[in-house]
Amino acid sequence: MRRWLAVMGLVVSIGLAYWAWPLVGAAQLARTARSGDAAAVFDRVDVDALRRSLARQIANAYLDVSGKGKKMGAFGRSLAGSAVTTVADPYVAQLLTPENVMALLAKGHVNEVNLGGRPVSIKGDLPDFSSLLDDHLLSAVTGSYFDQLKDFVIPVDGGHGADDQYGVHMHLVGLTWKLGGLDLPTPLLDQMARSILAGEPPAAL
C-alpha cells in the first residue's frame, strides 16, 4: 500500500509540475515584456505558430464579414479558409514585427501597420499581458488547460465582458515554453478582416 501511494504521489507531483511549467514560462514572458526589450520578447515567441494562429482566425473572420462564407458548409469553409489565409498573410507579417509583438504584450495593442500602401490602425485593445499573472492570477491558473501535450492555453479576462477576453497559447519548443498563439476577440478580428476587405479592388460587374 505504501509503495502504491508513493507511486501515485510521484505521478501526481510530476503532473502538477508539468502543468505549472508553462505557467512559469508565461510569467517569464510577461516579465520580459515589462522590461521593454523587444528582442528578448521576440526570442520567447514561436513566430511561425503565432503567424498561423492569427492568419487562420483573420481568414475565418474575412469569410464572415465579406459574406463569402455564409453558404459554405464546414468542409467548404475549411478549404476557403486555407485559400484566404494567403490574403491574411501580408497583414500578419506586418503585425508580427518585434516592435508590434512587444507593444501587444506590454500595452495590449499594436502599432499602425502598412497594408498594400495603406496605413491601418488597430483600435481595439487587449488586456495587458505583462500583468496577466499579477492581476488575473486566479482565473489564469484555474482556467488554464492543455489543448495538446505541447500546447497550453491560458485564458485572459480584462473584466469587461466577452469582447475583453482572449486566449494565450504557450507552445513547448525544445525546453522553452513560447507564445505560440492568441485567440483574439471577435470584434478585433472583424476589424482586421474589414481592413483587408477595404483594400480589395471592387468586384467586377
Side-chain angles (χ1 to χ4, degrees), residues 93-175:
Q94 288 284 331
L95 289 176
L96 295 185
T97 63
E99 293 75 20
N100 271 339
V101 171
M102 177 68 198
L104 176 62
L105 296 178
K107 301 176 183 178
H109 65 268
V110 297
N111 302 315
E112 185 177 84
V113 302
N114 187 289
L115 186 63
R118 297 180 299 112
V120 177
S121 297
I122 308 301
K123 297 179 181 179
D125 287 343
L126 296 175
D128 180 359
F129 181 83
S130 66
S131 61
L132 166 64
L133 298 184
D134 295 331
D135 299 341
H136 311 288
L137 178 60
L138 182 60
S139 62
V141 172
T142 59
S144 58
Y145 60 93
F146 280 96
D147 188 35
Q148 298 178 19
L149 188 61
K150 294 184 177 182
D151 185 13
F152 190 77
V153 184
I154 304 172
V156 184
D157 186 349
H160 299 95
D163 292 351
D164 201 18
Q165 298 175 356
Y166 67 110
V168 174
H169 289 250
M170 301 297 293
H171 286 183
L172 183 59
V173 181
L175 294 176

